[in-house]
Amino acid sequence: MTLGAFSISLTVKDIKASKAFYETLGFAETGGNIDQGWVVLRLDGKVIGLFQGMFEKNMLTFNPGWGQHREELSDFEDVRALQARLKAAGLDVGDAIEPGSGPAHFMLTDPDGNPILIDQHV
């Protein structure tokens, strides 16, 4: 099983201060819209999303269909199949995603209450 690209989505209080902090560590902005309260920063294969006012908690994010550098993968498990398989394994993955293909997402929570977003963009 592959879950695709991995990133950490951080809930921040001051997105400009947080962005400046991570840029000092060597991260560079590669996406998002700071005026909308979100930016994506990268350093090598490491990805951090900064989100102000969007989420209550930090969360892990996986992107089926993407490699770690946002390259589209030709062979991957669609988010709908992944959700069905995890549900069959006994995990609470919420309501079923509408049938079809393309972008979709679902969420689950680990045993310690950490949210996990499975977010397919392709």
Side-chain angles (χ1 to χ4, degrees), residues 37-66:
W38 68 285
V39 294
V40 177
L41 305 170
R42 293 178 181 273
L43 174 61
D44 304 320
K46 296 162 261 332
V47 182
I48 298 173
L50 304 177
F51 297 88
Q52 184 175 333
M54 292 186 180
F55 307 119
E56 291 182 30
K57 292 176 135 184
N58 297 333
M59 79 175 104
L60 306 173
T61 302
F62 297 95
N63 302 110
W66 273 4

Side-chain angles (χ1 to χ4, degrees), residues 62-104:
F62 297 95
N63 302 110
W66 273 4
Q68 198 59 31
H69 298 282
R70 289 191 304 183
E71 70 277 12
E72 284 191 33
L73 304 175
S74 59
D75 185 29
F76 66 95
E77 185 174 16
D78 185 83
V79 67
R80 293 153 192 82
L82 182 57
Q83 183 190 40
R85 188 164 50 73
L86 294 176
K87 183 173 184 169
L91 297 181
D92 180 3
V93 294
D95 296 332
I97 302 170
E98 291 290 322
S101 62

